[in-house]
Amino acid sequence: MGDHNTTIRCRACRQPHPTVTDRGAPFGPQCTPCWNRAQRRTDNQQALDEGATAPPPPADPRCPHCETLQDRHPTGYKKWVLLEPDMPVPWHIVPVGHRWTLTEDGTAINTGDRPLPAGTLCRIPHALVCPCDDPPDQLAPFFAALWQENERRYWRDHPPTIDGIPSADPAT
């Protein structure tokens, strides 16, 4: 008979491995390499779902679409999120899934659909009001106005070019 730990197979890779541990439902027994891959996939999917796709330091905390500087904060799952600078608002006006709060160490946490204590302020994710995306539908007028202000800033910083327009001088 062999060692019991080496005969337990990982549910993901189906191989015996000394680090196989029961990871609970729905994962079951998994070895450390498979478990690490599952965590990365889960973290990556959560980041995509929540819009936590900011470039990590040392890159500037700029939106990759509109190129405006934002406040960048780490998340609890090793990703980064861009939040509108200096824009804390009461949690109840922020759409579900976009309510970010900051811990004392600056970590950003998306509170999902949980109600928060009265007086709690949330930060707005830049992705919700980025002018390079479509304007927000069916949101409070506050968010539509913020999107419009970001769009105004975008066009101020990125004026349209006049390439291809004929010269004003007909003699040339």
Side-chain angles (χ1 to χ4, degrees), residues 29-40:
Q30 288 194 21
C31 64
T32 299
C34 289
W35 178 245
N36 289 341
R37 279 192 295 277
Q39 285 183 308
R40 278 193 304 276

Side-chain angles (χ1 to χ4, degrees), residues 131-166:
C132 291
D133 290 332
D134 293 332
D137 289 335
Q138 301 175 352
L139 289 180
F142 170 80
F143 293 99
L146 184 54
W147 183 90
Q148 290 171 342
E149 176 61 17
N150 285 344
E151 182 184 43
R152 184 193 66 76
R153 285 186 194 140
Y154 176 81
W155 287 114
R156 182 194 66 211
D157 295 340
H158 300 87
T161 62
I162 57 172
D163 293 339
I165 294 178

Side-chain angles (χ1 to χ4, degrees), residues 33 35-46 79:
W35 178 245
N36 289 341
R37 279 192 295 277
Q39 285 183 308
R40 278 193 304 276
R41 278 192 311 273
T42 302
D43 290 348
N44 289 340
Q45 187 59 54
Q46 183 176 359
K79 301 293 180 180

